[in-house]
Amino acid sequence: MIAMVASVAIVFGISSCGSDDNEPEVPVASQAIGSYTGNEVIMVDNDESSNETKTYEITKASDTSVDITIPESGMGMMTIPSFSVKNIPLTKSGNTITGKVISYNGTVKNAKGEEKAYTVSDVTLMFSDKTVVATFSLKYGNMPFLLKTTFTGTRK
């Protein structure tokens, strides 16, 4: 009888020590997605070219990567249409999520319907709480210079 009581106590003791109370970790990409509105500063040859309020869209590509859509910038003949950088891998350390891409190439259609190539390099995303800081360099079409952009936004 004592052996049976001891074995029942051990079985219940082992099953009650499990980690049933822990919630599963939300995928890192799901923690970063959303619409972020904030300040976008574009530099050309170390001179400020643009300083505007913009909204960047960050969507889930997979559990561990995101796509970012950068809104249109410039005006008139100097307008750069909205463009995307896809499959940015994310890592998480503590409460900070980071993403990096060395280079991404794509094409977009301008206002005239012409297809233009673009290259985005040195992409860095840093998420903390509801804030993102995005930095990247853009080479658009035949422009002879890089547009260096820094965006700091808050998720709605």
Side-chain angles (χ1 to χ4, degrees):
M1 185 63 118
I2 293 174
M4 184 169 42
V5 170
S7 63
V8 169
I10 289 171
V11 168
F12 283 118
I14 291 172
S15 65
S16 68
C17 291
S19 59
D20 295 339
D21 296 337
N22 292 341
E23 305 254 338
E25 179 74 18
V26 175
V28 68
S30 296
Q31 297 174 47
I33 61 173
S35 292
Y36 292 81
T37 300
N39 190 53
E40 177 191 71
V41 177
I42 300 175
M43 304 289 287
V44 178
D45 286 336
N46 295 322
D47 290 325
E48 189 174 292
S49 170
S50 173
N51 187 336
E52 298 181 51
T53 300
K54 297 285 183 150
T55 299
Y56 281 40
E57 298 292 332
I58 299 175
T59 56
K60 183 176 174 181
S62 72
D63 282 349
T64 58
S65 65
V66 294
D67 297 340
I68 185 169
T69 301
I70 291 95
E72 175 181 288
S73 62
M75 56 195 301
M77 296 299 291
M78 294 298 292
T79 299
I80 298 171
S82 175
F83 61 93
S84 297
V85 179
K86 298 188 178 288
N87 294 312
I88 302 168
L90 301 177
T91 58
K92 185 173 182 181
S93 178
N95 291 330
T96 303
I97 298 170
T98 56
K100 292 187 181 204
V101 169
I102 294 171
S103 184
Y104 180 84
N105 297 306
T107 58
V108 291
K109 289 191 178 183
N110 65 14
K112 295 179 180 178
E114 301 166 331
E115 201 162 285
K116 296 280 187 174
Y118 67 91
T119 300
V120 183
S121 56
D122 302 320
V123 179
T124 302
L125 303 176
M126 184 175 293
F127 300 88
S128 182
D129 194 25
K130 291 184 176 188
T131 302
V132 66
V133 176
T135 60
F136 58 90
S137 295
L138 171 66
K139 173 78 169 77
Y140 175 70
N142 293 326
M143 287 185 175
F145 45 81
L146 284 176
L147 303 173
K148 295 185 179 186
T149 303
T150 301
F151 172 77
T152 304
T154 304
R155 185 171 48 208
K156 297 177 185 178

